[in-house]
């Protein structure tokens, strides 16, 4: 470690292939961190993007052995202490649970489980709860990291996720600034938590357009010899990303006689359900699941239309990347969609419904 350099700490859950992780890689490559000593805390040292970290990033594994417990309910923690025959833990967690029910403040749970003693002895100049808002990430930055300045980071619309307001209020009062990735997401947060309005600041996730275009010339693209319209969606396959809506939309378009295939890049907890839905609709030959792709850009470059069917987002990095190729883009109306697409030549923003998405796709093709 070099003396005199800014020491900066970031905390994420893992380096899985996702928008937050990708935006983190872009963020630390920006001039803001030239000559800084970058430290990265991970609850799980795993993920495809680990190999994309610069060699000088110092990795810390945080809360070793407690990842499972962190994700448990208080009741499950108490039950576990009974099964493990640990009466002291049972009493501690039971009293903590009572306090939590009274205060509605989840920091009680994290203090009970993790304590408040700093886990990393280094004193940093800046510390970022980068994968936020996630209360365990925020708690760790506030109570377990020593830093002159501490920053929250918000990557989604807080009105669309369940969050405990009392926990947010308890934690966010300690931040020097709270960065939010779109104007609309910032407006939503400021309205919900007006006491922090003076701390919030818009910070749009950066992308390297030249690098994206360079990567689009490398690696694999579509291997089928399909000659119709290729529709592409990139992202974690989950309920909030709306791939199930895409499949219902695909059914409408096929029934209307459009010669299309819809390709999905990504993996996630909703994959099997989406595949089953496609099969039930008889769309096996039209809904193509390509799996994870570390380099999705050749597919973006070669598609006919890019579609983002999300139920909610905070910014959506995939849309920002798709814009690099001047393709028609259809997006549902989530936080950040209009501000990203308003200067795009051929786009459509729709309600998150199959009928409206189908109409938007017809409009752009």
């Amino acid at each position: 470690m070099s003396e005199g350099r800014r020491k900066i700490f970031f905390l994420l859950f893992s380096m899985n292939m996702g928008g937050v992780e990708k935006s983190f890689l872009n963020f630390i490559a920006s001039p803001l961190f030239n000559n800084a000593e970058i430290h990265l805390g991970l609850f799980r040292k795993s993920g495809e993007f680990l190999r994309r970290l610069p060699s000088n990033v110092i990795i810390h594994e945080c809360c070793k052995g407690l990842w499972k417990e962190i994700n448990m309910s208080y009741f499950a923690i108490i039950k576990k202490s009974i099964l493990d025959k640990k009466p002291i833990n049972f009493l501690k967690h039971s009293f903590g649970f009572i306090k939590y029910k009274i205060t509605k403040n989840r920091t009680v749970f994290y203090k009970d489980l993790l304590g408040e003693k700093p886990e990393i002895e280094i004193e940093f100049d800046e510390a970022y709860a980068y994968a936020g808002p996630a209360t365990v990430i925020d708690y760790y930055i506030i109570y377990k990291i020593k830093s002159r300045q501490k920053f929250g980071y918000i990557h989604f619309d807080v009105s669309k996720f369940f969050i405990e307001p009392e926990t947010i209020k308890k934690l966010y009062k300690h931040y020097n600034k709270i960065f939010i990735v779109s104007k609309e997401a910032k407006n939503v947060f400021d309205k919900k938590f007006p006491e922090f309005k003076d701390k919030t600041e818009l910070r749009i996730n950066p992308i390297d357009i030249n690098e994206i275009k360079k990567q689009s010339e490398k690696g694999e693209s579509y291997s089928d010899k399909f000659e119709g319209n290729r529709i592409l969606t990139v992202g974690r396959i989950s309920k909030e990303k709306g791939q199930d809506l895409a499949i219902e939309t695909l059914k409408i378009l096929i029934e209307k006689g459009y010669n299309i295939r819809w390709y999905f890049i990504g993996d996630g907890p909703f994959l099997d359900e989406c595949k089953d839905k496609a099969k039930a609709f008889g769309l096996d030959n039209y809904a193509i699941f390509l799996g994870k792709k570390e380099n999705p850009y050749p597919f973006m470059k070669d598609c006919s239309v890019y579609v983002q069917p999300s139920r909610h987002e905070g910014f959506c990095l995939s849309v920002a990347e798709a814009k690099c190729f001047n393709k028609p883009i259809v997006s549902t109306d989530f936080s950040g969609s209009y501000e990203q697409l308003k200067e795009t030549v051929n786009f459509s923003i729709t309600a998150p419904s199959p009928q409206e998405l189908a109409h938007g796709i017809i409009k752009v093709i």
Side-chain angles (χ1 to χ4, degrees):
M1 298 183 193
S2 304
E3 293 298 325
R5 295 168 65 194
R6 287 160 60 218
K7 292 182 174 66
I8 303 175
F9 181 83
F10 295 89
L11 183 58
L12 284 82
F13 288 109
S14 69
M15 284 304 292
N16 286 339
M17 201 180 295
V20 170
E21 293 79 10
K22 189 182 289 186
S23 71
F24 165 72
L25 292 171
N26 293 335
F27 189 42
I28 62 173
S30 71
L32 281 171
F33 303 109
N34 284 351
N35 301 315
E37 183 180 287
I38 304 294
H39 294 250
L40 172 61
L42 297 172
F43 286 133
R44 291 173 294 169
K45 190 179 177 182
S46 62
E48 297 84 356
F49 283 166
L50 273 176
R51 59 178 172 267
R52 289 181 55 182
L53 286 169
S55 59
N56 60 341
V57 171
I58 301 161
I59 298 176
H60 303 266
E61 291 186 71
C62 302
C63 301
K64 288 183 183 178
L66 286 174
W67 175 247
K68 186 176 179 181
E69 284 81 357
I70 286 169
N71 288 285
M72 285 182 178
S73 67
Y74 230 137
F75 181 76
I77 289 285
I78 293 169
K79 184 178 178 182
K80 185 176 183 297
S81 65
I82 295 171
L83 294 174
D84 292 343
K85 298 180 180 179
K86 294 182 177 179
I88 294 175
N89 284 356
F90 169 74
L91 290 171
K92 182 179 75 168
H93 296 322
S94 297
F95 284 123
F97 177 69
I98 293 167
K99 186 176 180 182
Y100 166 66
K101 295 299 285 185
I102 293 169
T103 63
K104 307 295 183 186
N105 187 339
R106 195 163 173 80
T107 60
V108 172
F109 173 74
Y110 297 128
K111 183 178 179 181
D112 186 1
L113 195 62
L114 306 177
E116 291 184 335
K117 183 180 177 182
E119 189 172 63
I120 299 168
E121 289 305 317
I122 299 167
E123 185 159 351
F124 297 98
D125 297 291
E126 301 166 25
Y128 292 80
Y130 195 77
T135 50
V136 64
I137 293 272
D138 294 309
Y139 180 89
Y140 196 95
I141 288 292
I142 296 302
Y143 293 105
K144 305 285 285 179
I145 293 293
K146 295 184 289 186
S147 182
R148 289 193 306 107
Q149 291 186 299
K150 297 183 178 184
F151 304 104
Y153 234 101
I154 293 178
H155 289 273
F156 57 74
D157 178 343
V158 296
S159 70
K160 304 297 184 183
F161 278 78
F162 172 73
I163 57 173
E164 294 172 314
E166 293 308 314
T167 307
I168 294 292
K169 290 174 184 178
K170 170 79 172 176
L171 293 168
Y172 278 46
K173 67 183 181 182
H174 296 285
Y175 284 135
N176 296 89
K177 276 194 178 296
I178 302 159
F179 298 115
I180 306 178
V181 298
S182 74
K183 289 178 184 177
E184 192 172 344
K186 181 180 181 304
N187 290 339
V188 169
F189 183 86
D190 288 344
K191 187 175 180 179
K192 194 171 184 67
F193 298 102
E195 62 268 48
F196 300 129
K197 190 172 181 179
D198 291 341
K199 291 187 176 187
T200 61
E201 181 178 306
L202 175 66
R203 182 169 283 182
I204 294 171
N205 288 330
I207 63 168
D208 187 335
I209 295 173
N210 291 330
E211 181 61 23
I212 287 171
K213 288 185 174 180
K214 181 180 174 183
Q215 291 298 318
S216 74
E217 301 297 332
K218 302 176 181 178
E220 65 175 319
S221 185
Y222 305 96
S223 58
D224 55 6
K225 300 191 186 303
F226 182 62
E227 294 182 355
N229 284 301
R230 288 190 169 106
I231 298 175
L232 177 67
T233 295
V234 177
R236 185 169 182 263
I237 299 181
S238 58
K239 189 77 172 177
E240 64 269 17
K241 294 291 186 181
Q243 287 89 351
D244 59 321
L245 298 178
I247 292 164
E248 293 174 31
T249 304
L250 176 60
K251 182 175 184 288
I252 294 170
L253 294 170
I254 294 297
E255 288 174 350
K256 286 181 178 288
Y258 285 90
N259 185 24
I260 60 172
R261 286 183 183 174
W262 200 316
Y263 301 80
F264 299 92
I265 290 178
D267 196 0
F270 210 38
L271 176 60
D272 289 342
E273 187 168 336
C274 288
K275 284 184 174 180
D276 289 344
K277 176 169 278 194
K279 186 174 182 180
F281 287 166
L283 298 173
D284 302 64
N285 295 326
Y286 302 96
I288 315 298
F289 295 90
L290 298 170
K292 291 182 180 180
K293 301 289 180 186
E294 191 167 336
N295 180 11
Y297 307 125
F299 296 90
M300 285 185 175
K301 177 173 68 72
D302 296 337
C303 75
S304 307
V305 182
Y306 183 83
V307 179
Q308 192 66 44
S310 302
R311 288 180 168 88
H312 46 80
E313 296 274 359
F315 175 75
C316 193
L317 198 65
S318 296
V319 168
E321 292 173 338
K323 283 172 60 182
C324 297
F325 302 104
N326 299 315
K327 298 289 181 177
I329 295 176
V330 178
S331 171
T332 46
D333 188 9
F334 52 73
S335 290
S337 59
Y338 180 73
E339 64 193 81
Q340 284 207 66
L341 295 174
K342 62 184 178 181
E343 296 179 3
T344 303
V345 174
N346 192 7
F347 76 94
S348 181
I349 295 176
T350 80
S353 79
Q355 293 77 16
E356 291 296 320
L357 278 165
H359 179 73
I361 292 168
I362 292 167
K363 178 182 172 182
V364 301
I365 65 176

